[in-house]
């Protein structure tokens, strides 16, 4: 590999491949405290196929759906413990308001299920 700087000699610029390898090596040595152990030629030539892209898309969809489910359950818990709830009456569109109400009802169902499940468990107890 050519060096980017030389003493007393004319500099020759690094090729794209040499620069990429240098950056990867520096990052690996800096953050991992060890030289890289992966095949950079494989990483450069590997293109994901259509199946992995579709699989990645479904993985993201499931992840975002689960995040939305957890947010809905969290909002249901806030409603139960404090009485605060989103002001759906301020949503102008009736269809969107209905979708949001259904979304919040799913969270309340999940919260109710969690309360019953934890209430029957021997590892949780009620304190009032």
């Amino acid at each position: 590999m050519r060096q980017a700087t030389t003493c007393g000699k004319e500099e020759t610029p690094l090729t794209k491949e040499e620069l990429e390898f240098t950056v990867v090596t520096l990052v690996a040595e800096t953050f991992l405290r060890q030289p890289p152990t992966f095949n950079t030629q494989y990483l450069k030539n590997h293109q994901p196929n259509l199946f992995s892209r579709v699989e990645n898309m479904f993985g993201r969809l499931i992840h975002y759906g689960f995040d939305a489910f957890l947010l809905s359950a969290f909002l249901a818990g806030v409603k139960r413990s404090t009485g605060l709830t989103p002001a759906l009456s301020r949503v102008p569109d009736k269809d969107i308001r209905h979708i949001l109400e259904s979304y919040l009802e799913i969270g309340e169902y999940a919260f109710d299920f969690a309360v019953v499940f934890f209430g029957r468990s021997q590892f949780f107890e009620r304190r009032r």
Side-chain angles (χ1 to χ4, degrees):
M1 178 175 24
R2 290 180 292 189
Q3 295 295 320
T5 59
T6 57
C7 297
K9 298 180 182 176
E10 187 176 319
E11 285 188 23
T12 57
L14 295 175
T15 64
K16 182 179 177 184
E17 291 80 19
E18 290 174 330
L19 184 61
E20 288 174 356
F21 182 77
T22 304
V23 169
V24 168
T25 303
L26 287 174
V27 168
E29 289 175 349
T30 303
F31 293 108
L32 302 177
R33 304 274 188 233
Q34 61 186 4
T37 58
F38 51 85
N39 186 348
T40 56
Q41 188 67 26
Y42 171 78
L43 291 177
K44 185 169 59 173
N45 294 332
H46 178 68
Q47 296 294 325
N49 59 17
L50 179 63
F51 180 73
S52 67
R53 289 181 183 169
V54 171
E55 187 179 56
N56 192 16
M57 180 183 67
F58 282 123
R60 284 186 185 176
L61 186 64
I62 290 170
H63 180 84
Y64 293 149
F66 189 72
D67 285 348
F69 177 76
L70 287 178
L71 178 64
S72 179
F74 170 77
L75 290 174
V78 169
K79 180 180 177 182
R80 292 283 173 89
S81 63
T82 64
L84 296 173
T85 185
L88 296 181
S89 60
R90 299 185 72 178
V91 176
D93 190 8
K94 184 176 83 169
D95 294 331
I96 293 177
R97 188 179 327 123
H98 180 69
I99 290 171
L100 290 173
E101 287 171 354
S102 299
Y103 171 71
L104 293 174
E105 286 175 8
I106 289 170
E108 289 188 30
Y109 173 78
F111 189 80
D112 289 338
F113 179 81
V115 168
V116 169
F117 180 79
F118 294 143
R120 292 183 180 175
S121 172
Q122 64 181 355
F123 301 107
F124 291 88
E125 62 183 17
R126 282 195 196 273
R127 293 187 185 175
R128 292 181 186 208

